[in-house]
């Protein structure tokens, strides 16, 4: 289908963005085709609306701080120290998994730039004895969970499927897909792994004008992890405009979705206890959180802002609020540390489009390389000259009708990989340490002893979260090693 250039120009003139055609007369035919395709695909009217609403909302938030209050007791619970509650939630969640009602959304668009790697973050090896990547660990947790649901819910072997929807970014899409193909999809059925792409938005001047980063290309940037919601509605391939993540979820009759970020080596993918808790609460959206380590920890918390559920950044909470304690428990009143680990009903995900225009994009003011319109020369600015607009995945929280929060133990479920090796916090060494420490706890809880200094890595294919280890009871492990099957424990005694 050819693009009507006159109509396209008229659209951009109407939107007061006609400068994107500044270099049109001097472009080659192939450059014109590429630029026209990019401009035609871009909803420039929406870009203008997003810019205006973001600027307006930023002013409102700065000037009219809505009251910030702790979470209400009836919207939150904890699995810490309550094994009987966790067991019941797990049973409910496993039954939903066994019925084929659960899918998983992975936000995996980031590159390992801070880790010294240009590869997608999920490809990273944190230095375990197995040298498995983050992607492999998560894939094997799904495989094990499918088996557990079959075993505990009386389903036939191979009958339970948890589809995995993996959101990449433009720069990581092909490399992510190649990594999965090269590794035979880590034993999962490729038909149940669906790759899709995070959206982008143009980079803008302070006045909302679109930047060009070459004479024939608009400068764009990812629209933040909150771009997830729009991406769920985007066609999975140019050749099939009707198939989207949302349509695939509907076709598979998925009712519940677990969403998480790729960089947490301890993540319980499709955690049945979290799912069961949310199903029991009849939540349409929920967040898993960890307790803040101290009042001054630099982490956003889930709280009420103007009587609506929100993630409140640590910089928005006063010293008095940060130090405030619950009168009954003595715990921090604002302690629900956000870890980007969420539950949704598919009904809620389908409904996001109805209120998406009300979601304010956040403005990130940046140094944006661009082409100077008057000269056509490329400029790398040395000071902030423009903005990128992004939405956060938690921006939908205030629009939920039935929201719930589940607190879990940090050492069991959260160890993010953010920083370069040797940093000493949230780096590959701490991820490795936290995972191997957890595996030691799995063995000790199952009734085994592990000698000082011994490190045992247990494949997720052997245990999802400490389950299936009854045979180690009474054994003492004196040798370090990797366990890929139950039988291999014996060689480490």
């Amino acid at each position: 289908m050819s693009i009507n250039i006159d109509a396209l120009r008229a659209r951009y003139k109407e939107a007061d963005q006609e400068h994107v055609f500044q270099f049109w007369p001097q472009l080659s035919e192939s450059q014109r085709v590429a630029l026209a395709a990019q401009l035609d695909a871009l909803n420039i009217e929406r870009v203008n609306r997003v810019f205006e609403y973001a600027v307006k909302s930023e002013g409102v938030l700065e000037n009219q701080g809505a009251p910030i209050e702790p979470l209400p007791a009836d919207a939150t619970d904890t699995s810490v120290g309550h094994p009987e509650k966790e067991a019941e939630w797990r049973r409910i969640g496993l039954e939903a998994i066994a019925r084929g009602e659960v899918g998983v959304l992975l936000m995996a668009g980031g590159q390992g730039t801070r880790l010294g790697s240009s590869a997608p973050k999920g490809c990273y090896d944190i230095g375990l004895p197995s040298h498995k990547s983050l992607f492999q660990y998560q894939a094997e947790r799904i495989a094990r969970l499918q088996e557990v649901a079959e075993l505990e819910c009386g389903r036939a072997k191979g009958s339970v499927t948890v589809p995995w929807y993996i959101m990449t970014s433009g720069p990581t899409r092909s490399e992510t897909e190649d990594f999965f193909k090269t590794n035979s999809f880590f034993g999962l059925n490729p038909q149940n792994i669906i790759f899709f792409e995070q959206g982008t938005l143009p980079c803008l001047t302070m006045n909302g004008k679109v930047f060009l980063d070459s004479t024939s290309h608009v400068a764009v940037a990812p629209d933040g992890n909150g771009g997830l919601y729009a991406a769920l509605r985007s066609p999975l391939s140019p050749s099939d405009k009707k198939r989207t993540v949302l349509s695939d979820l509907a076709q598979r009759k998925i009712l519940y979705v677990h969403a998480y970020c790729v960089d947490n080596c301890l993540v319980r993918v499709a955690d049945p206890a979290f799912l069961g808790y949310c199903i029991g609460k009849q939540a349409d959206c929920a967040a898993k959180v960890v307790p803040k380590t101290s009042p001054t920890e630099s982490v956003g918390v889930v709280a009420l802002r103007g009587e609506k559920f929100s993630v409140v950044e640590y910089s928005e909470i006063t010293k008095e609020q940060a130090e405030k304690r619950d009168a009954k428990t003595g715990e921090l009143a604002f302690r629900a540390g956000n870890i980007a680990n969420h539950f949704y009903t598919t009904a809620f995900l389908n409904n996001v489009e109805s209120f998406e225009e009300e979601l304010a994009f956040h403005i990130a003011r940046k140094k944006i390389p661009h082409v100077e319109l008057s000269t056509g020369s490329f400029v790398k600015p040395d000071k902030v000259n423009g903005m990128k607009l992004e939405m956060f995945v938690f921006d939908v929280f205030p629009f939920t009708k039935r929201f719930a929060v589940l607190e879990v133990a940090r050492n069991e479920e959260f160890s993010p990989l953010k920083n370069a090796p040797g940093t000493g916090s949230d780096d590959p060494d701490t991820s490795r340490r936290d995972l191997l420490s957890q595996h030691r706890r799995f063995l000790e809880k199952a009734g085994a002893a592990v000698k000082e200094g011994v490190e045992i890595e247990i494949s997720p294919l052997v245990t999802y979260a400490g389950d299936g280890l009854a045979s180690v009871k009474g054994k003492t492990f004196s040798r370090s090693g990797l366990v890929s099957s139950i039988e291999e424990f014996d060689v480490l005694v």
Side-chain angles (χ1 to χ4, degrees), residues 298-337:
S298 303
V299 62
V301 293
V302 183
L304 290 181
R305 188 203 298 271
E307 300 185 347
K308 292 188 174 183
F309 292 96
S310 300
V311 171
V312 180
E313 295 303 331
Y314 61 91
S315 55
E316 300 177 87
I317 292 178
T318 65
K319 184 173 183 289
E320 289 73 27
Q321 286 174 318
E323 293 175 353
K324 185 180 177 184
R325 300 266 170 186
D326 185 289
K328 289 182 183 174
T329 64
E331 294 174 308
L332 292 173
F334 293 93
R335 68 177 181 279

Side-chain angles (χ1 to χ4, degrees), residues 6 14 35 91 128 136 140 145 181 242 258 263 284 357 373 384 390 421 439 459 470:
D6 290 338
E14 177 70 20
L35 178 59
R91 182 190 63 76
L128 293 165
Q136 182 165 356
E140 291 182 353
L145 187 59
K181 285 173 190 164
K242 289 186 179 175
H258 176 225
D263 61 1
D284 52 10
E357 290 283 323
L373 291 175
V384 171
E390 58 184 10
H439 291 186
S459 167

Side-chain angles (χ1 to χ4, degrees), residues 135-209:
F135 279 140
Q136 182 165 356
Y137 246 79
Q138 291 158 29
E140 291 182 353
R141 284 187 184 130
I142 290 173
R144 171 65 186 168
L145 187 59
Q146 291 173 164
E147 279 183 15
V148 171
E150 288 161 6
L151 286 166
E152 295 193 27
C153 300
R155 297 297 198 275
K157 187 172 172 58
S159 66
V160 172
T161 294
V162 178
W164 199 13
Y165 300 87
I166 299 174
M167 185 173 78
T168 68
S169 59
T172 63
R173 173 80 179 257
S174 60
E175 201 170 344
T176 300
E177 291 195 33
D178 289 346
F179 190 71
F180 273 76
K181 285 173 190 164
T182 302
N183 289 283
S184 304
F185 296 87
F186 308 106
L188 295 174
N189 183 339
Q191 291 182 319
N192 299 323
I193 299 179
I194 297 93
F195 297 96
F196 66 110
E197 205 166 303
Q198 181 177 357
T200 59
L201 279 171
C203 301
L204 304 175
T205 69
M206 296 301 189
N207 297 320
K209 295 288 185 281

Side-chain angles (χ1 to χ4, degrees), residues 129-438:
S130 65
H131 292 290
K132 290 177 181 176
S133 63
L134 293 169
F135 279 140
Q136 182 165 356
Y137 246 79
Q138 291 158 29
E140 291 182 353
R141 284 187 184 130
I142 290 173
R144 171 65 186 168
L145 187 59
Q146 291 173 164
E147 279 183 15
V148 171
E150 288 161 6
L151 286 166
E152 295 193 27
C153 300
R155 297 297 198 275
K157 187 172 172 58
S159 66
V160 172
T161 294
V162 178
W164 199 13
Y165 300 87
I166 299 174
M167 185 173 78
T168 68
S169 59
T172 63
R173 173 80 179 257
S174 60
E175 201 170 344
T176 300
E177 291 195 33
D178 289 346
F179 190 71
F180 273 76
K181 285 173 190 164
T182 302
N183 289 283
S184 304
F185 296 87
F186 308 106
L188 295 174
N189 183 339
Q191 291 182 319
N192 299 323
I193 299 179
I194 297 93
F195 297 96
F196 66 110
E197 205 166 303
Q198 181 177 357
T200 59
L201 279 171
C203 301
L204 304 175
T205 69
M206 296 301 189
N207 297 320
K209 295 288 185 281
V210 169
F211 272 118
L212 295 172
D213 57 11
S214 80
T215 54
S216 59
H217 191 264
V218 169
V220 295
D223 54 6
N225 58 17
L228 166 73
Y229 304 107
L232 298 179
R233 301 193 302 268
S234 299
L236 288 172
S237 81
S239 58
D240 183 359
K241 298 282 188 185
K242 289 186 179 175
R243 188 166 173 248
T244 65
V245 171
L246 288 178
S247 75
D248 195 84
L249 287 164
Q251 189 182 338
R252 294 173 187 263
K253 297 184 171 59
I254 301 294
L255 300 180
Y256 312 110
V257 170
H258 176 225
Y260 68 96
C261 289
V262 74
D263 61 1
N264 176 14
C265 69
L266 295 182
V267 66
R268 294 187 181 178
V269 185
D271 176 17
F274 183 39
L275 290 163
Y277 165 73
C278 297
I279 293 167
K281 293 281 281 187
Q282 296 186 303
D284 52 10
C285 176
K288 185 183 276 195
V289 300
V290 296
K292 279 181 69 170
T293 53
S294 71
T296 56
E297 186 186 5
S298 303
V299 62
V301 293
V302 183
L304 290 181
R305 188 203 298 271
E307 300 185 347
K308 292 188 174 183
F309 292 96
S310 300
V311 171
V312 180
E313 295 303 331
Y314 61 91
S315 55
E316 300 177 87
I317 292 178
T318 65
K319 184 173 183 289
E320 289 73 27
Q321 286 174 318
E323 293 175 353
K324 185 180 177 184
R325 300 266 170 186
D326 185 289
K328 289 182 183 174
T329 64
E331 294 174 308
L332 292 173
F334 293 93
R335 68 177 181 279
N338 173 47
I339 59 172
N341 191 315
H342 303 146
F343 164 93
Y344 308 96
T345 61
T346 46
F348 178 80
L349 291 174
N350 277 288
N351 191 44
V352 171
E353 188 175 12
S354 71
F355 57 78
E356 204 166 39
E357 290 283 323
E358 299 174 61
L359 296 172
F361 279 75
H362 306 269
I363 297 171
R365 292 176 174 80
K366 303 278 187 181
K367 299 174 189 173
I368 297 173
H370 62 282
V371 166
E372 185 63 56
L373 291 175
S374 57
T375 63
S377 56
F378 187 71
V379 177
K380 285 189 84 170
D382 53 12
K383 60 183 179 186
V384 171
N385 66 322
M387 62 178 72
K388 296 178 181 181
L389 298 170
E390 58 184 10
M391 194 185 288
F392 301 142
V393 72
F394 51 74
D395 285 337
V396 299
F397 288 2
F399 296 85
T400 55
K401 302 246 182 338
R402 296 179 305 280
F403 191 75
V405 175
L406 181 65
E407 183 182 273
V408 297
R410 183 185 292 239
N411 67 336
E412 294 294 349
E413 301 207 34
F414 187 55
S415 180
L417 180 61
K418 305 284 186 192
N419 301 319
T423 307
S425 91
D426 298 346
D427 68 5
D429 295 328
T430 58
S431 292
R432 179 187 190 279
R433 176 203 72 201
D434 292 346
L435 194 59
L436 292 177
S437 296
Q438 182 185 63

